[in-house]
Amino acid sequence: MAVLLSSFLFAFTHSLNMLSGQSVANTIFQILFAFVIGLVLALLIVNGQSIGVTIVFHGLNNFLQFTSPVKANDSLLINYALLLFLSGYAFYLWNRKSTLSVSYNQVSG
């Protein structure tokens, strides 16, 4: 529940970009993208990664987004491919989390 709630809140904060004049379509995509990124970041922590890994992951993502020579509207294929990849990675981490908790319960029980 904490993973989903923190991901939702992370996505919601990105909706404020609409106040700066960003289009509704770009804002909706950014909210969806932020939700998936939030899932990945939270699941990295749940899977035992250091918070440093999530900081580097988030920083690298922002760096690549801000320094990309391709405008957001011109790179829909890249954005959707990245969203698909990250969704798959989040799914993998979610399933790994479930496997880890089962293994932990079997060892401690």
Side-chain angles (χ1 to χ4, degrees):
M1 188 61 142
V3 168
L4 294 175
L5 181 61
S6 66
S7 299
F8 172 77
L9 292 173
F10 186 67
F12 179 74
T13 61
H14 287 79
S15 67
L16 299 175
N17 289 331
M18 201 166 14
L19 298 176
S20 67
Q22 183 172 299
S23 73
V24 174
N26 284 347
T27 302
I28 290 171
F29 182 81
Q30 189 175 22
I31 291 168
L32 179 61
F33 192 78
F35 180 77
V36 172
I37 289 283
L39 281 175
V40 169
L41 295 175
L43 289 168
L44 282 171
I45 293 293
V46 168
N47 280 290
Q49 296 297 320
S50 163
I51 194 164
V53 171
T54 62
I55 291 170
V56 169
F57 185 96
H58 187 269
L60 182 61
N61 176 63
N62 285 353
F63 176 77
L64 293 174
Q65 292 294 324
F66 289 121
T67 60
S68 173
V70 180
K71 299 290 183 204
N73 292 337
D74 298 333
S75 63
L76 285 178
L77 182 60
I78 294 170
N79 286 334
Y80 283 114
L82 185 56
L83 183 63
L84 183 63
F85 171 77
L86 289 172
S87 297
Y89 189 53
F91 182 74
Y92 164 76
L93 289 172
W94 186 274
N95 286 331
R96 185 166 185 243
K97 172 194 73 72
S98 300
T99 304
L100 288 174
S101 64
V102 168
S103 298
Y104 177 76
N105 289 335
Q106 289 174 347
V107 170
S108 63

